[in-house]
Amino acid sequence: MYWSDRAVQRVAEENGIELAGRRSWTFGLSLIGLQGGFGPKQRVTRNRLEETRRVLRHIGSAATQSLDTEPEAAYVSGVGKVEFAEFAAWHTQGAALMHVQVRNVHGQRIDLCLFGSMDNLRGFGPSDGFADGWTSSAAPAVEELLRTRGRQNTSQWDCPESRSVEALKIALDQGFSSASGEHTGRPETRGFTIGHAGHCEFFAEIYTDVVLDPARWNLTGESAGAERIMVGRPLWIRTMTPDAVVRYAELRNGPGWSRRRWLRALTRRWRTEISPPGVVTVASETGEASPPDPIRRRRFSQAPD
């Protein structure tokens, strides 16, 4: 569902991981016998599954899976439900936001707020979301966190905890509108939300990893009960079952949304009526159905499919 070539390549380069290409043997038969040697690297068909295996094998224990160790984690891999939304940032266009909530073996709640690019997201389209509702004034601070990989903070949220809390609020409350009523547990009622997928395998690079001081924070809504927050970017997210994806546009508009959307797009197209010679052809953009033309009906009925 999500694959970032840029992130995968960068992690591979920084950790000396060979993603593709191997030396191949070349043999030649000459008068003096059999000769062999190394040939140039050959480029093979892209195998993302093999690339993920190489990255995970090389990163090894640096990729936290149990999430029961103390911060700070550099990489996180796991399986869980992933919620997808558009990140309504002030200076960044086409940004994606993914949220995962899991618990470790000690029962500690862990929220992963992962930011990436909509271009890397698969399975959703522009009509899946809608821009409406609350947006955070802390978006530039989160953008700086992502841009500097957590190394710089010039915002008013001047500590890792406060900036991580703002990132969590964006993930859980962005797009909220009082007109939509209570949205706890119902992300499809918020603007910018796109959908979710259960049983996803994810691998992410973590920029900040904080455990909240319970005496300092009194969070409400869906943020209430947050204990540990990780902010970073995903390298990949893939579904483990084919029917794992839930599109919020279908929940908002009914199960026939996809079919009706296709039909509306079809009827909005400019159509040219087939007319006898000498009759002026008229273009129309109305959604009203025109009387069937016998010539068109006969022609389409002869089509094999």
Side-chain angles (χ1 to χ4, degrees), residues 169-183:
K169 289 179 181 178
I170 292 174
L172 297 179
D173 296 321
Q174 177 188 246
F176 168 70
S177 172
S178 58
S180 62
E182 177 59 44
H183 72 280

Side-chain angles (χ1 to χ4, degrees), residues 71-126:
E72 292 181 357
Y75 301 96
V76 171
S77 64
V79 176
K81 174 185 173 182
V82 181
E83 295 180 348
F84 299 89
E86 181 183 354
F87 177 33
W90 290 4
H91 308 296
T92 303
Q93 300 294 326
L97 168 59
M98 289 136 280
H99 175 256
V100 188
Q101 186 179 115
V102 295
R103 291 189 181 271
N104 62 15
V105 293
H106 304 298
Q108 182 187 43
R109 170 178 159 178
I110 302 173
D111 289 270
L112 282 78
C113 304
L114 308 176
F115 297 82
S117 171
M118 293 291 290
D119 292 337
N120 297 328
L121 192 59
R122 300 292 181 267
F124 299 106

Side-chain angles (χ1 to χ4, degrees), residues 44-63:
V44 296
T45 302
R46 185 72 178 272
N47 189 335
R48 288 180 174 173
L49 181 59
E50 177 62 24
E51 291 182 18
T52 63
R53 290 171 177 166
R54 293 190 182 194
V55 171
L56 291 174
R57 184 167 58 247
H58 189 95
I59 296 297
S61 60

Side-chain angles (χ1 to χ4, degrees), residues 87 90-91 134-145 148 150-170 208 210 216-217 219:
F87 177 33
W90 290 4
H91 308 296
W134 174 80
T135 57
S136 174
S137 59
V142 175
E143 289 175 324
E144 182 185 44
L145 186 159
T148 64
R151 299 190 182 102
Q152 182 177 334
N153 186 359
T154 60
S155 70
Q156 67 187 75
W157 297 274
D158 55 358
C159 73
E161 279 191 55
S162 60
R163 195 161 56 164
S164 297
V165 167
E166 294 303 320
L168 180 61
K169 289 179 181 178
I170 292 174
T208 61
V210 300
R216 178 182 177 185
W217 301 100
L219 301 176

Side-chain angles (χ1 to χ4, degrees):
M1 295 197 64
Y2 188 93
W3 177 272
S4 174
D5 263 333
R6 183 177 178 181
V8 171
Q9 291 290 341
R10 184 168 183 172
V11 169
E13 291 173 2
E14 292 177 348
N15 293 277
I17 304 172
E18 182 66 36
L19 292 178
R22 298 179 179 177
R23 290 188 178 276
S24 57
W25 283 96
T26 57
F27 294 93
L29 186 63
S30 66
L31 296 177
I32 59 175
L34 187 65
Q35 294 180 342
F38 283 110
K41 291 183 179 180
Q42 295 182 349
R43 194 70 177 178
V44 296
T45 302
R46 185 72 178 272
N47 189 335
R48 288 180 174 173
L49 181 59
E50 177 62 24
E51 291 182 18
T52 63
R53 290 171 177 166
R54 293 190 182 194
V55 171
L56 291 174
R57 184 167 58 247
H58 189 95
I59 296 297
S61 60
T64 303
Q65 291 183 324
S66 63
L67 298 176
D68 57 352
T69 58
E70 291 297 319
E72 292 181 357
Y75 301 96
V76 171
S77 64
V79 176
K81 174 185 173 182
V82 181
E83 295 180 348
F84 299 89
E86 181 183 354
F87 177 33
W90 290 4
H91 308 296
T92 303
Q93 300 294 326
L97 168 59
M98 289 136 280
H99 175 256
V100 188
Q101 186 179 115
V102 295
R103 291 189 181 271
N104 62 15
V105 293
H106 304 298
Q108 182 187 43
R109 170 178 159 178
I110 302 173
D111 289 270
L112 282 78
C113 304
L114 308 176
F115 297 82
S117 171
M118 293 291 290
D119 292 337
N120 297 328
L121 192 59
R122 300 292 181 267
F124 299 106
S127 60
D128 278 280
F130 65 99
D132 185 34
W134 174 80
T135 57
S136 174
S137 59
V142 175
E143 289 175 324
E144 182 185 44
L145 186 159
L146 302 171
R147 185 176 63 255
T148 64
R149 304 174 78 180
R151 299 190 182 102
Q152 182 177 334
N153 186 359
T154 60
S155 70
Q156 67 187 75
W157 297 274
D158 55 358
C159 73
E161 279 191 55
S162 60
R163 195 161 56 164
S164 297
V165 167
E166 294 303 320
L168 180 61
K169 289 179 181 178
I170 292 174
L172 297 179
D173 296 321
Q174 177 188 246
F176 168 70
S177 172
S178 58
S180 62
E182 177 59 44
H183 72 280
T184 302
R186 300 174 58 211
E188 70 276 5
T189 62
R190 296 187 284 118
F192 307 103
T193 56
I194 298 175
H196 73 251
H199 304 290
C200 284
E201 178 190 274
F202 58 87
F203 183 77
E205 183 180 11
I206 301 303
Y207 298 151
T208 61
D209 179 7
V210 300
V211 174
L212 300 183
D213 180 0
R216 178 182 177 185
W217 301 100
N218 184 24
L219 301 176
T220 60
E222 293 200 79
S223 298
E227 298 177 90
R228 183 176 178 182
I229 304 174
M230 298 181 177
V231 182
R233 68 171 174 178
L235 275 72
W236 64 76
I237 299 173
R238 64 191 189 103
T239 55
M240 302 183 70
T241 56
D243 57 346
V245 180
V246 175
R247 302 175 72 173
Y248 291 159
E250 293 186 3
L251 297 182
R252 290 189 286 258
N253 304 315
W257 166 79
S258 297
R259 177 176 54 82
R260 291 196 302 269
R261 179 173 60 91
W262 180 81
L263 289 174
R264 286 196 301 268
L266 183 64
T267 56
R268 279 197 301 265
R269 294 181 58 184
W270 285 84
R271 300 191 304 271
T272 302
E273 298 292 343
I274 298 179
S275 306
V279 177
V280 178
T281 301
V282 179
S284 174
E285 199 178 9
T286 179
E288 298 179 358
S290 57
D293 186 280
I295 300 178
R296 289 175 59 89
R297 186 171 61 247
R298 191 163 55 249
R299 179 168 61 88
F300 286 117
S301 64
Q302 295 173 357
D305 187 0

